[in-house]
Amino acid sequence: MSYRPDPRFVDLYELYTGPNSIAAELSQKKRDATADTPLLISTGSDLVLFPGRGRDPVYESFRHSTRGFKELTAVSHLGTAMAWVVEMQEEGMDGWQVWARRFLAQCEEVRAISTVPYWTSEVAVEAWKGWEPKIVDVVDYACCASEDYLKAGLSDPSVFTYAALRERFLEPSQPDGLPVPYNDVMVATFALTFLDITHRMMRWLNTLELDWRTVMVMICGSSGRPTAGLTWATNNMCHLLWRASQKTLAPEHLLISPHAPSLNLDMIKSGADLADLEKAYRTLWCKTRVTAEIGGRMFAGFPAFVPDIGEASVITDPAGTLSEMPRLKHPDDRFTAISRLRMVMEDPRQLLSNSVAEFIIDELSDNGLDPAAITIPGFTNTAYPVAGRADCPD
């Protein structure tokens, strides 16, 4: 005989939790009271502001639709791509030679079109202005180093081992090895990419003139890996918004909701009526907050919950382990920068951009959003060979 709770118990249960419950009604009343309060939504690729009072949303993109993102991220990913080829070869999987040749050919094509005019006129990222010649050097060097390693591995598969990958490519220790370890290239290109994102996002947020003490903020949907960015410490957008607010955004006013309704720019650009979606976001935010606020009042006299947004710790021990992201002490702190690279790969909670995000956000915030005033890890103080060096493969 199947079990069914008595309907009278169900009715009591649903008085609090059902669609017509007291919780639902209170949340709706709270939502209606916020109709004039700006609501800021981060979707994982865009920031969207619902200004309130029925006004149309405004937005700014920070990922796939932005200039230079795919170019520099493609170079960042070459370090990981070499590891994927190594993994296939070491595991005896078919096809690693095909992938090695495909990456080799693509590097040669990228090197041919990566010129100063391309970066200044085609990409034309304001935050990189004046650095375009050095970006050309970095891209050329990254492709050359990858081509060298791929050619060596195709000739001698013993080169495609993790020991050889580290020694010959990622972190060479021999004097006749790579002049710049590829680990530094990954740090530099991630940092440059996030510099542009931070520069544009924070300038755009400044133009909105928000009252950050009252603004409602939600981070919705997936950002990077499905397991990543689900806490303040692992989602760099939290830190960006906090610094954009001059540290006035209350952590409890920012909610991370991966299961919230989806929102994309096509919905906005098509002129779709987003009133119902805005209402759904406001309801979700208010329902979550009202539970927390009631809890605080119910249990006054007991320890209160305070979100932890404290500064990360500093690391010094190469033999140690990490459970939380360490703090970059200064832009030339290679040990921490590369430890952070490892952590964003190993820790499923982390966004890959977390490797450099907080440092770039803080540097820009502390220097009046002037990209020329900051030192970029792996780039500013790192000497890359001039593009077109004679020993690069033909």
Side-chain angles (χ1 to χ4, degrees):
M1 182 176 179
S2 62
Y3 161 75
R4 285 188 179 182
D6 188 284
R8 286 163 291 193
F9 277 105
V10 173
D11 289 344
L12 178 59
Y13 175 81
E14 292 192 347
L15 278 177
Y16 178 73
T17 61
N20 299 311
S21 65
I22 187 173
E25 182 172 335
L26 179 58
S27 298
Q28 291 168 8
K29 291 180 182 297
K30 291 278 188 178
R31 177 201 68 202
D32 293 344
T34 74
D36 293 342
T37 304
L39 171 66
L40 184 63
I41 303 293
S42 175
T43 69
S45 59
D46 312 286
L47 282 179
V48 180
L49 178 73
F50 291 95
R53 297 196 293 276
R55 290 175 293 173
D56 291 335
V58 294
Y59 63 89
E60 181 73 11
S61 300
F62 59 83
R63 289 201 67 188
H64 299 293
S65 61
T66 61
R67 294 173 176 268
F69 176 84
K70 290 186 177 178
E71 285 92 338
L72 282 190
T73 304
V75 174
S76 303
H77 289 169
L78 278 175
T80 308
M82 299 304 103
W84 286 176
V85 175
V86 166
E87 180 74 11
M88 292 182 73
Q89 195 283 135
E90 283 208 328
E91 293 296 318
M93 299 177 182
D94 294 334
W96 65 265
Q97 299 98 329
V98 174
W99 283 106
R101 292 189 184 100
R102 288 183 67 182
F103 278 111
L104 178 59
Q106 205 61 46
C107 284
E108 292 171 347
E109 291 189 21
V110 165
R111 200 159 39 84
I113 58 94
S114 179
T115 62
V116 172
Y118 177 80
W119 290 96
T120 56
S121 301
E122 297 295 325
V123 179
V125 169
E126 185 177 347
W128 301 340
K129 191 173 183 179
W131 289 330
E132 292 90 349
K134 189 165 184 177
I135 290 175
V136 171
D137 293 342
V138 171
V139 172
D140 184 81
Y141 175 78
C143 290
C144 281
S146 301
E147 291 169 48
D148 287 342
Y149 183 67
L150 289 165
K151 285 195 169 186
L154 286 167
S155 298
D156 177 8
S158 68
V159 171
F160 284 158
T161 65
Y162 282 109
L165 175 69
R166 293 189 298 269
E167 181 61 30
R168 297 179 63 127
F169 189 70
L170 296 177
E171 195 70 12
S173 58
Q174 299 300 320
D176 58 348
L178 288 178
V180 181
Y182 206 88
N183 281 337
D184 294 65
V185 176
M186 288 192 284
V187 170
T189 47
F190 274 128
L192 284 164
T193 301
F194 207 79
L195 171 63
D196 169 52
I197 291 171
T198 304
H199 183 244
R200 287 185 298 101
M201 290 298 102
M202 296 187 84
R203 289 206 313 172
W204 180 73
L205 289 166
N206 284 349
T207 67
L208 300 177
E209 298 182 345
L210 297 171
D211 180 357
W212 288 99
R213 296 166 299 178
T214 60
V215 67
M216 306 159 63
V217 182
M218 286 181 61
I219 297 177
C220 302
S222 177
S223 181
R225 293 176 286 193
T227 55
L230 302 179
T231 64
W232 184 290
T234 60
N235 195 310
N236 53 62
M237 185 54 66
C238 301
H239 190 64
L240 188 151
L241 295 173
W242 186 62
R243 289 305 308 260
S245 75
Q246 306 296 319
K247 303 182 181 180
T248 61
L249 170 63
E252 59 268 24
H253 282 189
L254 185 150
L255 303 179
I256 298 175
S257 181
H259 303 300
S262 61
L263 171 63
N264 60 64
L265 290 191
D266 289 340
M267 298 166 67
I268 299 176
K269 293 176 179 177
S270 68
D273 185 358
L274 300 180
D276 288 342
L277 184 59
E278 178 182 355
K279 186 179 293 186
Y281 284 136
R282 290 183 181 277
T283 301
L284 195 159
W285 192 94
C286 290
K287 185 176 182 179
T288 304
R289 282 304 310 151
V290 72
T291 301
E293 291 165 0
I294 287 175
R297 294 176 184 129
M298 285 176 63
F299 301 107
F302 294 87
F305 167 73
V306 176
D308 181 12
I309 60 170
E311 194 172 61
S313 60
V314 171
I315 57 169
T316 56
D317 182 9
T321 59
L322 297 171
S323 58
E324 299 297 336
M325 189 67 77
R327 175 163 51 93
L328 203 65
K329 299 188 292 290
H330 51 76
D332 297 319
D333 180 8
R334 284 191 76 250
F335 176 68
T336 302
I338 297 165
S339 296
R340 290 171 67 99
L341 277 178
R342 175 174 180 169
M343 186 164 184
V344 299
M345 291 285 291
E346 288 189 308
D347 183 359
R349 303 171 303 163
Q350 301 289 341
L351 303 177
L352 293 180
S353 56
N354 284 349
S355 60
V356 293
E358 286 188 8
F359 183 83
I360 294 296
I361 292 168
D362 289 339
E363 282 287 287
L364 272 179
S365 298
D366 294 340
N367 287 278
L369 299 186
D370 180 6
I374 75 168
T375 302
I376 303 170
F379 182 77
T380 305
N381 295 331
T382 303
Y384 288 90
V386 175
R389 77 182 203 263
D391 61 333
C392 194
D394 294 325

